Amino acid sequence: MSERKFSRGLGKPGMAAQLRETVSQAVRESAAQSKLHLVEPLDFESYILKNKTILQNDPQRELLLYPADDISQVVLPRKFRTVAATTPSNNDLNECSLFTKECIKSYISNWNLIYYKYSAYSGSYLELPKILKSDDLKDEVYEVDTDVDQVDEDLCRTDGVTKQGYLMKGPEVGSDRMFPNIGSKSFKRRYCYLRREVDGTYILELHKDEKKGEAKATIVMDFCNEVVKNTKRGKLCFELHMTAGHKSFCLAADNEQDLIDWISKLQLVLHQNKLQEEKRAGSLERTCSTTSLPQTPGNETKNMYGTLRGLEQSVNPQLMKYARETDTSIALARRDNRRRLFSVYPFMPHTKPSAGCESSEPYREYFGQRVLVKCVSLRFRLQAPLTDDKEVLTQIEPYMLSICLFDAKEGRKLTESFHWEVACDAVSGMIIKPEGPSVSLLSEYNLPEGWIRNPSQAVFSVSNVHPDIYLVVRIEKILQGSITQSSEPYTRTTKDPRLGLKVHRTIQAVAARLGKYRMPFAWTARPLFRLYSNEPDTISDFPGIYRQEAGKLKDEELLKLLSDYRKPDKLNKLPVIPGWLQIKVEPLTDLPQNCLTSSLCPLKPFPVPPACEPTVEIAELSPETHPYTAFTNHLYVYPQSLAFDAQKSFSRARNIACIVQLRDSDQANCQSLPCIYSKDSKELVSWVSCCVLHHNTSPAWYDEIKISLPINLTPSHHLHFTFLHISIEGSKKRDTGPETPVGYAWIPLLLKNRLNVDDQSIPVAANLPPGYLAVQPLGLGKGVRTTVLIALVEGSKLIVANVGDSRGVMCDFKGRAIPLSFDHKPQQSREKKRIEEAGGSVTFNGVWRVAGILATSRAMGDYPLKDKKLVIADPDILTFDLSDHKPQFLILASDGLWDTFSNEEAVSFIKSRLHEPHFGAKSITLQSYYRGSLDNITVLIINLSKHSWV
């Protein structure tokens, strides 16, 4: 085969070989030139020190650097709303930790602020000090750009004295058709426009309607002398008196207000015409006086321009007079309303932009919209004559009211409760004060005795205002029996005073034994804000007082009723107790005198002796997030329910009272701390009782216990609950007292050095041994709740049994993750159905939980939930053929691992760490902890990689 011509020429010099060498050389040279040279970074500090003199003498230095005296530190004295600081004294802080001392110090220390002296010059030119007020420029309209009608319309729209509307036009004044008693048929309805022309003339046009067709009549206001109201022609008539030679006009308005508006507007037009005429006359006199001076070389007129210069050779004196008047008015018009130079530029902003953020200031205590609630009266139809004057009827027993706000939209209680007691002198002695130590509040202010005992007005604060916020009132009274039995006399239609006297004597006898225990009686509610605005509803009343149902005491049941509040057919089905409750609601801007905080600390101003009744601030339970500036150390306790129907220890456990205390020791005969806010007297007491339900072994409560916590909490501080059976009728053989203890429970305030504030389900002990805090109660204590995961290998079969939310995963020979079990979670449809059929519920509390308590639906232990079949211990059992899967390893782990690892991630992680000790179990445990798992992490790895499966 002959060689191609091109191939033969490749080796010859000057041909392709030379070309390749040339290209290669060019590429090498370009690569060498494009190589980057490393440059050392600039040492800024060295440059500043080296050129310090040059920088100090730079004439533009002030434009780039901050002034030396711009930034300074300012110490601002701390301001308190209260008369005295609310923080604990130094003696109370002696035994506290350093962390607690520093926290409390932050509430009383002064503010340290950074002050910028020249901050006023840091914005744009619009924000500079003493900035001149900018003018609002109007768009210029030229005749070449728009038609005359549009110009007239724009001038009329922008002029300040124009007006339009309907008027009745009568015959001209002085015409032959005008009779002394003119009727309404002589008037014709016309739509009138009062507009200003380009030359300043005001014209009143009368049209047939608003369509701006051809004008039926035109009145030039320059020929009008005065506007006079003429009642002889009609009650709403007025006349326009014109100059000689022009006929006057009679007009009538539709109503008195239109008559006043038209007359005032037309008189303003006449006044402006008069001022303009006087101005022109004055300018003409000045021009005439100037021209009458002798013409000398020193005072020759040098400002002749316009019309006057064009007529300087005219011999007509009237024409010269008109020219001078015109030129003078033009000169004055040019001098008036002169625009500043920068205002003429259309793209320059002339107003300050809205600030993106507020100026920094010290933290202040934030309150939402405030409402003042005044309790006026509560009256029931059942009354009796209890005084010497038999004609005067009064209440037959005391009533205790608990007032708070509920948010039906969010489904929660919005504020703490405000307590008000309604008791006349004849029944006030029925209430028995709790025994035990107590602490009187405000004793250092020398206030009158009883001034703070029963305040009747409070200030509520709402951060998120909407119409579904309700003012809820719960009415209680002294324990007497069942709600139905005690409310039956109130619902009778008779007004016989003897019935009231009989009921009063019965209650008086019961109160001698049970005066310190209360029972639910009735409730009512009303919206706090108007339906279509955020203003407080100050005029609505309570629709009625409804009897409290024994099975619907919880807040959840009340919220269901509030959601149907605006459905009259729903409320009409509720049993009503005849009565009248009057509570006034007023918007509040400034706090009244002698006001107290929710901690009962006096607020400024607080005159002594008091100038008015006390007003108490009611705290919002979940306000918007803001820094805390006032020291408050409160704990709110809400006992929910007691499941006591299955107990066998006590035969008499029906009328159960829940006594709540705060203790700092679990030894025998230890005293409870006086730190609970009393409901009927504004002092700190050592115990309070929840409402008592008659003949109910599983009572539910709605009570709120407000506690002032000690500043130095220890592991010994705990909430102590005592359950008492209350004997209402008493024993006829021997009366050892109405109370019989039937159970005890306790909750430590500290859990892992943190305040224990979660919802809890606790067991009830039949007795209270000394040192009970060290006792682990059966059912819900330490080590009594567990999940179970068992893997059993039998030959080539793998059997896995699971109870709870632990999980097993297998890695097969292909490296795939095969689940060996399924978590038992309450939100699963199968588990949720089983729980609801057993009478339970699944609620969300951080995660989905059984009865709001347990995050798994199956477990070993948890007897209180197991007793009602809400939690079961039945396992799920699965079987696998290992000869098919040929597994490399198995992972058996608790739920703490699976909170941060998926099945596939765990298999991939262990696969590369089977060579480690424990086959990677320790590594994956630590990795799960580092990823943020807060639950129990227990991992077991079973290595099967060296096992051969047949």
Side-chain angles (χ1 to χ4, degrees), residues 196-215:
R196 183 180 181 181
E197 298 296 328
V198 179
D199 58 353
T201 303
Y202 287 92
I203 294 179
L204 181 63
E205 295 182 350
L206 284 73
H207 295 262
K208 186 176 181 181
D209 49 29
E210 303 179 22
K211 298 181 179 180
K212 297 184 180 181
E214 183 180 357

Side-chain angles (χ1 to χ4, degrees), residues 728-745:
I728 296 178
E729 297 180 356
S731 176
K732 296 181 179 179
K733 298 180 180 179
R734 59 174 185 175
D735 193 357
T736 58
E739 302 95 351
T740 302
V742 295
Y744 304 90

Side-chain angles (χ1 to χ4, degrees), residues 585-722:
V585 175
E586 300 176 2
L588 185 67
T589 55
D590 298 325
L591 289 176
Q593 293 182 341
N594 297 112
C595 190
L596 305 172
T597 66
S598 61
S599 304
L600 300 183
C601 297
L603 289 169
K604 301 174 183 177
F606 195 84
V608 178
C612 57
E613 296 181 1
T615 304
V616 182
E617 284 186 336
I618 303 302
E620 192 174 0
L621 295 180
S622 299
E624 294 182 356
T625 304
H626 291 278
Y628 294 106
T629 58
F631 178 79
T632 303
N633 196 22
H634 290 163
L635 177 67
Y636 296 91
V637 181
Y638 299 92
Q640 296 294 304
S641 61
L642 174 66
F644 222 53
D645 51 350
Q647 63 87 24
K648 308 297 181 182
S649 301
F650 303 95
S651 58
R652 300 177 60 187
R654 296 182 300 276
N655 314 321
I656 300 176
C658 178
I659 307 299
V660 183
Q661 299 171 307
L662 178 62
R663 296 185 178 184
D664 59 355
S665 174
D666 58 354
Q667 300 303 314
N669 301 323
C670 65
Q671 295 292 327
S672 57
L673 303 178
C675 57
I676 302 178
Y677 287 88
S678 175
K679 297 181 180 180
D680 51 358
S681 60
K682 299 305 178 182
E683 61 181 2
L684 298 179
V685 296
S686 57
W687 65 273
V688 293
S689 173
C690 298
C691 291
V692 180
L693 285 178
H694 183 258
H695 276 213
N696 196 327
T697 57
S698 299
W701 299 290
Y702 57 78
D703 298 77
E704 175 185 85
I705 290 88
K706 182 178 176 182
I707 301 176
S708 177
L709 285 177
I711 193 62
N712 186 24
L713 287 179
T714 64
S716 299
H717 285 90
H718 62 281
L719 292 174
H720 185 274
F721 303 91
T722 303

Side-chain angles (χ1 to χ4, degrees), residues 783-790 801-807 823-825 854-862 871-873 893-896 898 935-936 938:
V784 297
R785 174 194 304 156
T786 184
T787 60
V788 179
L789 179 62
I790 300 174
N802 176 48
V803 175
D805 51 5
S806 294
R807 188 187 309 170
D823 303 347
H824 293 141
K825 293 294 186 181
L854 192 60
T856 180
S857 59
R858 302 192 190 190
M860 305 292 288
D862 289 305
V871 175
I872 61 176
S894 62
D895 59 330
W898 307 115
D935 211 334
N936 170 41
T938 303

Side-chain angles (χ1 to χ4, degrees), residues 99-117:
F99 179 76
T100 303
K101 293 179 181 179
E102 291 299 321
C103 288
I104 294 178
K105 184 180 177 181
S106 65
Y107 288 99
I108 57 177
S109 59
N110 295 328
W111 297 109
N112 292 307
L113 306 179
I114 300 299
Y115 173 69
Y116 297 92
K117 183 177 180 180

Side-chain angles (χ1 to χ4, degrees), residues 243 301 349 359 495 623 774 911 942:
T243 58
T301 304
S359 59
K495 293 185 179 181
K911 190 190 303 181
I942 303 174

Side-chain angles (χ1 to χ4, degrees), residues 447-635:
L447 298 173
E449 185 178 358
W451 177 78
I452 190 59
R453 184 183 182 278
N454 187 30
S456 60
Q457 56 187 24
V459 176
F460 288 84
S461 178
V462 181
S463 299
N464 184 19
V465 177
H466 56 83
D468 291 330
I469 295 178
Y470 291 88
L471 182 68
V472 176
V473 180
R474 282 168 163 148
I475 305 174
E476 303 166 355
K477 62 179 187 174
I478 296 176
L479 177 60
Q480 303 162 24
S482 66
I483 300 176
T484 305
Q485 178 184 355
S486 60
S487 62
E488 189 271 335
Y490 286 84
T491 57
R492 292 185 184 179
T493 58
T494 178
K495 293 185 179 181
D496 189 1
R498 293 176 296 180
L499 175 62
L501 284 173
K502 180 180 178 182
V503 176
H504 170 70
R505 295 189 188 99
T506 304
I507 297 173
Q508 198 171 24
V510 173
R513 299 178 63 253
L514 308 176
K516 55 187 175 183
Y517 299 107
R518 298 167 292 111
M519 63 174 289
F521 178 56
W523 71 277
T524 185
R526 54 154 288 191
L528 186 63
F529 298 99
R530 297 179 182 175
L531 185 58
Y532 298 109
S533 69
N534 292 337
E535 298 297 326
D537 189 354
T538 59
I539 58 175
S540 297
D541 296 326
F542 292 95
I545 300 177
Y546 306 103
R547 187 184 70 193
Q548 180 65 63
E549 298 294 333
K552 297 182 179 180
L553 288 178
K554 289 189 175 182
D555 293 346
E556 292 78 5
E557 300 293 339
L558 179 61
L559 288 168
K560 292 180 182 179
L561 296 174
L562 294 179
S563 62
D564 297 331
Y565 181 87
R566 291 188 170 89
K567 300 177 182 178
D569 55 330
K570 299 289 185 179
L571 292 181
N572 292 339
K573 298 179 181 179
L574 300 176
V576 178
I577 299 177
W580 301 267
L581 174 61
Q582 184 179 4
I583 294 180
K584 292 184 179 180
V585 175
E586 300 176 2
L588 185 67
T589 55
D590 298 325
L591 289 176
Q593 293 182 341
N594 297 112
C595 190
L596 305 172
T597 66
S598 61
S599 304
L600 300 183
C601 297
L603 289 169
K604 301 174 183 177
F606 195 84
V608 178
C612 57
E613 296 181 1
T615 304
V616 182
E617 284 186 336
I618 303 302
E620 192 174 0
L621 295 180
S622 299
E624 294 182 356
T625 304
H626 291 278
Y628 294 106
T629 58
F631 178 79
T632 303
N633 196 22
H634 290 163
L635 177 67

